[in-house]
């Protein structure tokens, strides 16, 4: 059974869910999610002989939400993972991330390869630092309409999303899923700042089979404190670019796995399809070619739990030996 507790990490308190015994596997969720995003993975990974821990990351769920926007930088987030591993009584762990959790996982492996035994990213590929700040790049490319830029308008997105949290989450999960019409058209997530994001999103009459009303209940409750902490991650995109300057040109050397859906909007971001195609030569630590899941949207481990579990267990057991 999954057990829950609070744990002191890196100067804050994190809520964690855990199950199993054996080598530690840390599962990192993305936006707008929570530890519950991994509920399909706990049992299978524990049964395969691993100790599985999924936190609500800082700014989410029952974990602390620092007021300072700068407290959500990639260095803070990596520090949380390293501190969590230590607080759990371990020196090393396998780290898996989805959506925003993937950059945290990749950067933990990049910055602390001594701590990470193996790293897997779902949806978001490994980081290769660009030549200019990402918010500036997207501002110019999409005339300020890319969702990253919308999220950086002070107080705007959180006010829109909090008016009806349950509807917000229902629309988000459907929009980015493989079930949504046009999900395979390589569309970009653009927002009219005057209308907001939700106005043009479909509110499905029936949820996809993989996302139940109970799942939505848990997720809605986790955002009862609002969206500001979660959005603050996006408000550090340019700061992260500045902070990671010392690692310009560095490549993740830890054994790695990358899994994504062919109907996911993130791998269709500008330049990303080309990056994914070149990953095997750019990153020799990949244990196999990127795994592309047919018909899968953005919510990788929830939409395709069987395939994701098989890939993760195969990768982790191979490394464990």
């Amino acid at each position: 059974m999954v057990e829950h507790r609070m744990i002191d990490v890196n100067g804050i308190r994190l809520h964690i869910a855990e199950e199993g015994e054996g080598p530690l596997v840390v599962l990192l969720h993305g936006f707008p999610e929570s530890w519950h995003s991994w509920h399909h993975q706990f049992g299978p990974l524990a049964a395969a002989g691993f100790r599985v821990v999924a936190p609500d990351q800082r700014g989410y769920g029952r974990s602390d939400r620092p007021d300072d926007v700068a407290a959500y930088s990639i260095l803070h987030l990596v520090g949380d993972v390293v501190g969590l591993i230590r607080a759990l009584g371990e020196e090393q762990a396998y780290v898996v991330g989805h959506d925003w959790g993937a950059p945290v996982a990749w950067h933990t492996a990049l910055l602390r390869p001594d701590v990470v035994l193996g790293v897997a990213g779902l949806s978001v590929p490994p980081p290769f630092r660009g030549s200019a700040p990402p918010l500036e790049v997207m501002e110019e490319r999409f005339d300020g309409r890319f969702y990253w830029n919308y999220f950086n308008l002070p107080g705007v997105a959180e006010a829109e999303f909090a008016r009806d949290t349950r509807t917000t989450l229902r629309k988000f999960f459907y929009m980015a899923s493989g079930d949504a019409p046009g999900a395979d058209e390589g569309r970009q997530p653009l927002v009219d700042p005057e209308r907001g994001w939700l106005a043009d999103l479909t509110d499905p009459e029936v949820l996809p089979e993989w996302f139940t009303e109970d799942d939505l209940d848990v997720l809605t409750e986790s955002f009862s404190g609002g969206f500001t902490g979660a959005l603050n991650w996006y408000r550090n995109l340019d700061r992260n670019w500045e902070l990671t300057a010392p690692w310009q040109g560095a490549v993740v050397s830890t054994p790695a796995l990358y899994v994504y859906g062919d109907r996911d909007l993130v791998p269709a971001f500008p330049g990303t399809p080309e990056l994914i195609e070149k990953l095997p030569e750019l990153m020799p630590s990949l244990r196999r070619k990127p795994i592309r899941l047919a018909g899968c949207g953005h919510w990788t481990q929830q939409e395709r739990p069987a395939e994701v579990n098989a890939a993760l267990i195969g990768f982790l057991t191979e490394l464990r030996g």
Side-chain angles (χ1 to χ4, degrees):
M1 295 291 292
V2 176
E3 298 181 347
H4 298 261
R5 62 185 168 117
M6 302 297 292
I7 191 166
D8 293 319
V9 173
N10 197 23
I12 63 172
R13 284 176 64 77
L14 294 180
H15 162 248
I16 66 168
E18 57 186 332
E19 181 178 0
E21 297 180 355
L24 177 61
V25 179
V26 177
L27 304 176
L28 303 171
H29 67 79
F31 176 89
E33 300 181 84
S34 72
W35 73 270
H36 185 73
S37 302
W38 300 100
H39 67 283
H40 292 301
Q41 281 66 54
F42 278 92
L45 286 174
F50 294 96
R51 180 188 182 189
V52 187
V53 172
D56 281 333
Q57 297 202 72
R58 68 166 61 200
Y60 284 86
R62 292 163 53 193
S63 294
D64 282 353
R65 307 176 183 203
D67 293 330
D68 185 5
V69 174
Y72 297 84
S73 78
I74 194 66
L75 297 187
H76 288 85
L77 302 174
V78 169
D80 290 347
V81 178
V82 174
L84 176 60
I85 292 168
R86 296 282 190 265
L88 292 169
E90 302 291 345
E91 296 295 321
Q92 296 177 305
Y94 302 98
V95 183
V96 181
H98 167 256
D99 183 76
W100 251 113
V104 178
W106 294 125
H107 278 91
T108 304
L110 180 67
L111 306 187
R112 292 302 305 270
D114 58 314
V115 173
V116 181
L117 296 167
V119 59
L122 311 182
S123 177
V124 180
F128 289 85
R129 186 175 180 272
S131 59
L135 289 173
E136 177 182 307
V137 170
M138 290 307 193
E139 175 80 29
E140 293 179 0
R141 181 184 288 266
F142 296 110
D143 194 27
R145 296 182 62 226
F146 198 69
Y147 78 105
W148 293 353
N149 302 101
Y150 178 66
F151 284 0
N152 272 267
L153 299 175
V156 175
E158 49 259 77
E160 180 189 11
F161 299 161
R163 288 189 195 106
D164 184 340
T165 300
R166 188 181 182 86
T167 297
T168 294
L169 295 169
R170 185 170 57 244
K171 285 187 170 186
F172 264 130
F173 268 71
Y174 183 69
M175 174 273 296
S177 75
D179 300 85
D184 56 352
E185 295 176 359
R187 68 203 188 288
Q188 299 299 327
L190 304 182
V191 182
D192 180 346
E194 299 298 322
R195 288 173 48 79
W197 197 354
L198 300 176
D200 294 324
L201 297 188
T202 299
D203 191 357
E205 294 183 6
V206 180
L207 292 174
E209 290 185 4
W210 54 268
F211 189 60
T212 68
E213 293 290 345
D214 287 342
D215 293 331
L216 185 55
D217 287 342
V218 174
L219 192 60
T220 301
E221 172 61 26
S222 74
F223 281 95
S224 60
F227 289 82
T228 300
L231 290 167
N232 281 342
W233 290 44
Y234 292 90
R235 292 162 182 164
N236 278 274
L237 283 166
D238 282 359
R239 181 178 285 110
N240 293 342
W241 182 82
E242 295 172 359
L243 291 172
T244 55
W247 291 273
Q248 178 74 32
V251 177
V252 173
S253 59
T254 303
L257 176 74
Y258 174 56
V259 183
Y260 70 105
D262 66 354
R263 294 171 68 87
D264 187 347
L265 72 169
V266 172
F269 284 0
T272 306
E274 295 79 7
L275 170 62
I276 293 172
E277 186 176 345
K278 295 179 181 178
L279 269 182
E281 58 186 87
L282 292 174
M283 208 170 90
S285 65
L286 276 180
R287 285 303 178 100
R288 61 204 69 181
K289 291 182 179 179
I291 298 175
R292 187 170 181 259
L293 302 177
C296 181
H298 181 60
W299 317 107
T300 327
Q301 75 273 24
Q302 297 181 74
E303 293 188 51
R304 294 291 186 275
E307 292 94 328
V308 169
N309 291 345
L312 288 178
I313 290 170
F315 172 67
L316 295 172
T317 54
E318 176 185 315
L319 294 181
R320 180 179 59 185

